[in-house]
Amino acid sequence: MIKLGIIGTNWITEQFVNACDITKSFELTHVYSRTTQKAQQFIDDLKKTEIRVSTDLNEFFKSDDFDTVYIASPNGLHFGQAKLALENGKNVIVEKPSTSTVREFTILDDLAHENKLFLFEAARHIHEPIFKKIQEYVDDNRSELSGATISYMKYSSRYDAFKAGKLPNIFNPKFSGGALYDLGVYTIYDAVVLFGQPDKVGYTPEVLSSGIDGSGSLTLKYPDFDVNMLIGKTKNSYLQSEIYFNKKTLLMDSGGDITHIKLADENKNITTIPTQKSDNPMDSEASEFARIINENDQETYEKLLKYARIVNRILEQARTSAGLVFGADEEK
Ligand SMILES: NC(=O)c1ccc[n+]([C@@H]2O[C@H](COP(=O)([O-])OP(=O)(O)OC[C@H]3O[C@@H](n4cnc5c(N)ncnc54)[C@H](OP(=O)(O)O)[C@@H]3O)[C@@H](O)[C@H]2O)c1
């Protein structure tokens, strides 16, 4: 059983702990929160007992009642917390995007290797059976591959507060917020896992008054085709995402939360490709992380880390090419 500590008490952590329970491979033992009250509320909501609470991060990481931490704090805090975890001998599962800069990613990558620990970026969707089905189709038809258009725009529940003059973490450059780092990370993962590392990256954002991107269009250039992406947190898009194979097109209902896939053939007939979709979108990643840890599957681990390295590099290239500055850029 993998003993689990968690950071962050929002709904996403609850979803991850529920996914861990489904795998029967993790046992939640320790919750860190800035306040005891929030930690206790989180534990009560999960109907769990005998779970230790810490409000001091050093005390949390020095404890020996967990070996793996799941970090779901605002993006800008991931690096410092993940670094402390690795320095204290804990495996890390950190929410996407794991870091704000390539420099930060490299430090974590090196620390994980030096200490023989696991560092996972929680890009949940690439572990789902529906994504594997897309990957299978792309692999079988790679010689026909001729580009993609990927869309992922969701009006953020926090955008109203932003428009009312508040500064929620996800719209704050201090916490590495914005459409690219929040939702673009999914569409970039799509491209990196399916098509590999692009040659060139270009990002055109709509910049909000706080200095982050509310939405934007991102192009990844590959030697033989382009992948165009629309991402945004200030509007809802109902566009399909598409992968082109000359006269055939694979259709996905979303770039980041894929629930249906279809194939349009050369005669424009559209058929649904049967797939499975779990109620909890995080259970596939939770069981894969547990399997890799338990079996010490270094080959799969290194493959995932390589994806994360490329994705984090693309995020930084896209952001800096558009002149978007984060608090983390100053912490050198
Ligand atoms: N994979 C997915 O499907 C998915 C979905 C949503 C979010 N996420 C990721 O999960 C992470 C958290 O996102 P979120 O929307 O839950 O973030 P959030 O609500 O801004 O913060 C998450 C938690 O971090 C702590 N926190 C908040 N503000 C803080 C501050 N100023 N200083 C220190 N701690 C603070 C809070 O826990 P305490 O009050 O208990 O300390 C809070 O519950 C992000 O990296 C995001 O990208 C992933």
Side-chain angles (χ1 to χ4, degrees):
M1 204 55 121
I2 299 164
K3 299 271 173 61
L4 184 71
I6 57 126
I7 297 182
T9 52
N10 200 7
W11 65 269
I12 192 64
T13 311
E14 188 171 337
Q15 192 174 76
F16 186 75
V17 172
N18 287 332
C20 287
D21 286 347
I22 294 169
T23 69
K24 299 195 184 352
S25 298
F26 291 92
E27 182 192 353
L28 177 66
T29 56
H30 205 146
V31 172
Y32 165 82
S33 170
R34 290 167 300 167
T35 65
T36 309
Q37 195 191 9
K38 265 181 119 178
Q40 200 50 56
Q41 185 64 54
F42 180 83
I43 293 164
D44 293 347
D45 289 348
L46 283 167
K47 300 193 174 38
K48 293 200 181 278
T49 51
E50 293 179 32
I51 292 174
R52 197 168 151 198
V53 167
S54 292
T55 53
D56 180 289
L57 209 52
N58 281 304
E59 175 200 291
F60 173 66
F61 281 127
K62 292 234 172 299
S63 74
D64 57 9
D65 55 11
F66 69 99
D67 44 74
T68 300
V69 66
Y70 168 72
I71 300 174
S73 54
N75 299 339
L77 301 180
H78 291 176
F79 169 67
Q81 293 171 339
K83 183 165 175 280
L84 204 51
L86 293 167
E87 286 167 348
N88 282 282
K90 313 292 187 199
N91 297 314
V92 171
I93 301 170
V94 56
E95 263 308 331
K96 48 68 177 159
S98 53
T99 55
S100 310
T101 65
V102 171
R103 186 191 72 90
E104 289 182 352
F105 189 87
T106 308
I107 292 171
L108 297 186
D109 196 352
D110 289 348
L111 258 179
H113 281 103
E114 276 160 30
N115 295 313
K116 296 195 170 20
L117 292 164
F118 290 101
L119 166 68
F120 296 109
E121 183 166 59
R124 58 168 169 70
H125 70 309
I126 65 163
H127 300 283
E128 290 188 275
I130 197 160
F131 191 88
K132 304 268 180 211
K133 200 86 181 174
I134 297 168
Q135 206 173 353
E136 218 174 88
Y137 188 88
V138 172
D139 285 344
D140 290 347
N141 296 275
R142 198 164 286 280
S143 61
E144 298 286 309
L145 192 57
S146 45
T149 305
I150 305 177
S151 166
Y152 198 25
M153 291 214 259
K154 290 196 295 188
Y155 188 97
S156 166
S157 57
R158 288 152 178 176
Y159 190 45
D160 289 339
F162 177 80
K163 285 193 289 187
K166 300 207 171 89
L167 188 52
N169 297 335
I170 202 60
F171 289 99
N172 188 343
K174 185 178 135 201
F175 288 118
S176 313
L180 180 68
Y181 274 60
D182 190 48
L183 298 184
V185 62
Y186 290 98
T187 59
I188 295 170
Y189 256 103
D190 291 339
V192 168
V193 177
L194 298 174
F195 317 131
Q197 183 168 351
D199 290 344
K200 274 195 197 155
V201 176
Y203 187 48
T204 310
E206 255 178 43
V207 181
L208 302 183
S209 57
S210 65
I212 61 93
D213 51 327
S215 63
S217 65
L218 176 68
T219 300
L220 306 188
K221 286 203 159 292
Y222 289 83
D224 301 322
F225 55 82
D226 287 356
V227 176
N228 293 300
M229 299 173 176
L230 281 178
I231 51 183
K233 293 193 66 64
T234 55
K235 37 203 147 198
N236 283 318
S237 168
Y238 301 91
L239 287 175
Q240 295 194 112
S241 293
E242 303 180 325
I243 304 175
Y244 311 113
F245 302 88
N246 290 316
K247 290 179 188 161
K248 292 186 189 169
T249 302
L250 191 73
L251 309 167
M252 311 179 287
D253 60 336
S254 164
D257 193 16
I258 311 162
T259 61
H260 293 95
I261 47 174
K262 293 177 184 170
L263 183 68
D265 68 14
E266 54 270 41
N267 299 315
K268 300 182 183 164
N269 294 319
I270 296 179
T271 48
T272 297
I273 299 178
T275 51
Q276 302 154 257
K277 180 79 185 172
S278 166
D279 290 341
N280 186 328
M282 302 180 96
D283 60 8
S284 301
E285 64 172 352
S287 62
E288 182 63 344
F289 297 152
R291 188 195 65 73
I292 292 171
I293 294 172
N294 288 333
E295 295 175 13
N296 192 21
D297 177 355
Q298 288 294 322
E299 194 182 332
T300 311
Y301 170 57
E302 288 298 337
K303 188 177 72 180
L304 292 179
L305 209 50
K306 185 176 165 197
Y307 292 149
R309 234 175 255 138
I310 299 172
V311 168
N312 279 268
R313 200 176 312 132
I314 295 173
L315 283 170
E316 183 172 279
Q317 279 171 354
R319 179 169 70 80
T320 52
S321 76
L324 298 166
V325 178
F326 281 167
D329 295 332
E330 289 148 28
E331 293 158 13
K332 293 212 167 132

